[in-house]
Amino acid sequence: MRILVATAVPVERDAVARAFPGPAREVPLPGATLHRVPPSYDLLAAGVGPALAAASTAAALTAATLEGAPYGLVVSAGIAGGFQPEAPVGSLVVADEITAADLGAETADGFLPVTELGFGTVTHRPPQPLVRAAVSATGALPGTVLTVSTVTGTAARAAALRARHPRALAEAMEGFGVAEAAAAHGVPVFELRAVSNPVGPRDRAAWRIGDALSALTAAFGKLTPVLESWNPHDR
């Protein structure tokens, strides 16, 4: 099974690549470049934010289909903010739900997700057997990972997100976009995040990006046997 791993930026992609012993081979795509590593992984720095992540992931999925070698799984991976105290800095989170937190409308009565407006979707659910196996292998926390277009920078915003999404453990900016592209191609999606900072007031002194990237590398070292042994029909 071929697996596409989409990160936001090259430093995250390179952290994933360090989990693999072999060198990567660059494969150009329209607007993006894959880093192909054996036995069956393509790593993609898809860009920041849900729109660019969706577009880049869709390009990779389309190219694979046209080659006659479609992907069996898409993984959204990278660092993220963690909701405290459930997801402390340095922890790993596996999404059992990938939810667009700010896709909808603000009203006088509060926020309405796009589904309550009568169209679209706001949540994708990764295959639960794969989630359970990944949690067991990596020690990650299972829960909702929110996708936002604007990173949370205040305590009030963090509290509002948790009130709407009480199972949320982390927020990032790409997972829902990657999931939308995967769903359009009928490919299951999975999301793994290493927590680099608390969700809330922006305190750069509290960020541990290097530690989170190291945790991401270690997690993929444990995760690859799970991904390679997972049966795509077991959803």
Side-chain angles (χ1 to χ4, degrees):
M1 180 178 68
R2 296 185 67 202
I3 298 171
L4 175 66
V5 181
T7 68
V9 294
V11 69
E12 293 169 315
R13 178 202 62 206
D14 295 344
V16 173
R18 285 193 288 274
F20 299 91
R25 177 171 62 90
E26 291 191 1
V27 179
L29 295 176
T33 301
L34 295 175
H35 283 220
R36 184 158 290 168
V37 295
S40 55
Y41 292 86
D42 283 348
L43 312 182
L44 173 68
V48 174
L52 183 53
S56 299
T57 301
L61 287 161
T62 300
T65 299
L66 292 175
E67 290 172 1
Y71 296 107
L73 178 68
V74 178
V75 178
S76 177
I79 63 175
F83 287 95
Q84 306 300 300
E86 291 85 357
V89 173
S91 63
L92 296 169
V93 174
V94 166
D96 56 19
E97 292 186 344
I98 301 169
T99 296
D102 49 13
L103 182 60
E106 292 285 355
T107 74
D109 297 321
F111 179 81
L112 288 178
V114 72
T115 48
E116 293 189 25
L117 300 175
F119 51 89
T121 184
V122 293
T123 294
H124 292 277
R125 292 176 176 82
Q128 294 306 297
L130 179 57
V131 169
R132 290 192 294 269
V135 166
S136 177
T138 64
L141 304 165
T144 300
V145 175
L146 302 180
T147 298
V148 295
S149 295
T150 301
V151 172
T152 299
T154 66
R157 160 84 168 175
L161 287 175
R162 285 302 299 271
R164 291 205 302 265
H165 307 282
R167 295 186 64 255
L169 293 180
E171 75 164 23
M173 300 181 75
E174 295 77 32
F176 185 78
V178 172
E180 286 278 86
H185 283 258
V187 180
V189 69
F190 175 84
E191 185 169 10
L192 171 70
R193 294 286 172 175
V195 176
S196 59
N197 58 278
V199 174
R202 290 173 66 80
D203 177 11
R204 294 183 70 93
W207 295 1
R208 297 291 182 268
I209 292 176
D211 292 343
L213 292 171
S214 295
L216 190 64
T217 302
F220 263 86
K222 300 172 182 176
L223 185 63
T224 50
V226 173
L227 299 179
E228 291 163 15
S229 63
W230 175 66
N231 183 348
H233 301 290
D234 188 11
R235 302 196 190 185

